[in-house]
Amino acid sequence: MNKILLRKGRERSVLKGHPWVFSGAIASGVEVCDSKGEKIALGWYSPASQIRVRIVPDAPIADLIAEAVGRRAAFYADDAVTAIRLVNAENDLIPGLIADCYAGHVVCQFTSAGADARKEEIADALMKFAPFCQSVSERCDVDSRAKEGLATEPAFRVLRGAEPPELVEIAENGVKFLVDVRRGHKTGFYLDQRDARAAVGRLANGADVLNCFCYSGGFGLFARACGAESVTQVDISGDALALAKKNEALQHYCGTKMEYVEADVFQFLRKCRDAGRKFDFIVLDPPKFAATKGQLMKAARGYKDINLLAMKLLKPYGTLASFSCSGAMDAAFFDTVLAEAAEDAHRKFQVVARTRAGADHPVLLSFPEGAYLKGVVLRSIS
Ligand code: SAH
């Protein structure tokens, strides 16, 4: 037997004998029971989603948020980093809640019906517990909300505190970035690549760097800060490149030659091949090619294509930093794709580093799906 839990105060109409219960009267909390009817867990119910129930702890949401924020204390002690993820959804035991903080401006995505139904409580708790919090906003323009049957408009709105500035300035390990919290990708910035950007930058000294899928300049600006000879930043989005240029202007002067190219990477790599253009260091950080397991093989062909092309554009002893943020593709399969590309490119590579999302994007040990991002740094030895 299913139990339907009504929201506080919404019992009256049933008690008075009305025969209907509307969706708005139903609280999204449910008990998850074993086959004998014994309760084994609590969950949030998502009527429209394939993931019908998401397991949650039996604790007030404000406590869960206070704990998630508390686990980030080390980041708050580090002045070099002013933008961090405060809540990483399931991995912080709050299913469907992403909360990213940009220099005191917190931007949330509520991607489960349960989190969406609790957004007021969540916003209050973030204002209260996130250190130096000036505002809490919400981004609705995310595909996963549509899958949950949740509205995808308005794209952005402030829930608590002051309107954030048009562009919020953040610092990441010595490099400054402007973040467009209203229109930028995700909540405005790819915070999950922080450690990878730092690692890649350190390897790019003196190199001619090609940064593919550059968004607001990330990897390229780290390479510049670490003394790259030249950096070519490529993205298909003119808006992203405009922001990347603004970000370059925020940094200290340095002699690195910067070039910005608005192009489809698949085509740009072929153009470089045809022109015989070569690079010492190439970064490939594409968007998610596989959203589901069903798209995996098509995605694998896409990853192989760009990696094969990039490998061929590397000068001898060059370095390729290659990433995949497709959760459906695990790290072992990504390695296989890279190995096949290397074979076809007739090049030999060493793995010199592996990267993943930083400590503010923890992954629950019992939830391997949480580990969507992987990076491999390959050095050509032939
Ligand atoms: N490396 C970036 C994040 C990359 S996100 C960082 O550190 O911040 C992926 C980027 O790929 C987006 O900016 C998107 O505009 C761009 N993109 C998507 N498809 C593309 C294509 N076919 N060619 C070039 N850029 C593309």
Side-chain angles (χ1 to χ4, degrees):
M1 181 65 94
N2 292 327
K3 271 191 197 168
I4 299 282
L5 214 67
L6 297 180
R7 286 181 193 275
K8 232 188 188 144
R10 301 299 287 266
E11 310 88 349
R12 273 182 55 123
S13 98
V14 178
L15 292 173
K16 285 198 314 198
H18 196 281
W20 292 347
V21 175
F22 285 96
S23 60
I26 299 174
S28 57
V30 290
E31 283 185 357
V32 177
C33 301
D34 65 13
S35 58
K36 296 188 212 81
E38 293 291 323
K39 175 179 146 188
I40 54 171
L42 287 179
W44 286 347
Y45 190 69
S46 294
S49 174
Q50 287 275 71
I51 307 168
R52 200 52 59 90
V53 175
R54 292 159 197 255
I55 304 300
V56 288
D58 187 4
I61 193 136
D63 292 2
L64 298 176
I65 287 182
E67 284 165 20
V69 171
R71 287 191 285 268
R72 271 80 175 170
F75 281 96
Y76 278 101
D78 179 0
D79 289 341
V81 173
T82 63
I84 59 170
R85 175 154 295 185
L86 293 176
V87 181
N88 196 29
E90 273 75 350
N91 304 292
D92 279 303
L93 309 182
I94 313 179
L97 175 65
I98 297 295
D100 291 339
C101 182
Y102 299 106
H105 296 283
V106 177
V107 185
C108 300
Q109 288 175 327
F110 303 101
T111 67
S112 69
D116 193 67
R118 290 163 180 78
K119 70 173 67 158
E120 300 301 327
E121 260 174 279
I122 290 171
D124 284 337
L126 285 165
M127 279 300 274
K128 185 166 167 195
F129 296 115
F132 317 113
C133 184
Q134 299 175 50
S135 71
V136 177
S137 306
E138 146 175 52
R139 284 286 293 268
C140 292
D141 53 346
V142 47
D143 291 347
S144 45
R145 279 182 63 87
K147 286 191 192 148
E148 285 277 319
L150 301 169
T152 51
E153 282 177 12
F156 175 88
R157 77 181 149 147
V158 178
L159 298 172
R160 296 288 182 281
E163 276 281 333
E166 269 308 295
L167 295 171
V168 181
E169 188 178 316
I170 61 157
E172 184 184 276
N173 296 315
V175 179
K176 293 175 188 167
F177 290 96
L178 296 168
V179 178
D180 183 346
V181 293
R182 290 171 184 77
R183 285 165 297 270
H185 296 180
K186 307 223 278 184
T187 60
F189 195 67
Y190 291 87
L191 287 172
D192 53 358
Q193 287 284 43
R194 182 191 310 110
D195 291 359
R197 281 187 287 264
V200 159
R202 282 194 291 271
L203 297 170
N205 184 270
D208 286 316
V209 178
L210 172 61
N211 181 20
C212 297
F213 310 97
C214 70
Y215 187 50
S216 60
F219 286 98
L221 292 178
F222 271 86
R224 179 188 178 277
C226 294
E229 182 69 26
S230 73
V231 176
T232 302
Q233 310 256 48
V234 186
D235 203 281
I236 205 164
S237 156
D239 289 347
L241 288 168
L243 194 52
K245 285 179 198 166
K246 279 191 188 158
N247 285 337
E248 182 198 334
L250 288 181
Q251 318 305 325
H252 295 297
Y253 172 79
C254 88
T256 306
K257 184 173 165 289
M258 302 295 291
E259 181 192 3
Y260 294 84
V261 182
E262 187 176 331
D264 177 345
V265 164
F266 289 82
Q267 289 169 12
F268 183 76
L269 292 173
R270 287 182 165 79
K271 249 172 90 176
C272 291
R273 177 193 63 192
D274 296 344
R277 196 169 167 191
K278 302 271 181 184
F279 298 90
D280 299 302
F281 200 119
I282 301 179
V283 179
L284 292 176
D285 185 23
K288 187 161 63 183
F289 288 165
T292 61
K293 284 266 178 218
Q295 297 164 357
L296 194 55
M297 292 326 284
K298 184 165 176 275
R301 285 194 290 279
Y303 284 113
K304 184 172 169 192
D305 186 37
I306 51 171
N307 280 284
L308 170 58
L309 284 162
M311 286 169 176
K312 287 184 169 171
L313 296 186
L314 279 183
K315 293 182 197 168
Y317 315 109
T319 304
L320 171 65
S322 190
F323 301 92
S324 162
C325 60
S326 300
M329 172 172 283
D330 64 25
F333 190 37
F334 188 46
D335 277 4
T336 306
V337 171
L338 295 176
E340 281 180 13
E343 191 186 336
D344 288 6
H346 308 294
R347 302 282 294 256
K348 259 203 171 11
F349 289 94
Q350 294 173 324
V351 176
V352 290
R354 291 186 180 274
T355 70
R356 56 193 161 78
D360 54 337
H361 293 62
V363 178
L364 207 57
L365 185 58
S366 50
F367 180 54
E369 291 83 349
Y372 61 95
L373 180 63
K374 53 253 159 225
V376 185
V377 183
L378 297 173
R379 178 169 54 208
S380 160
I381 53 170
S382 68

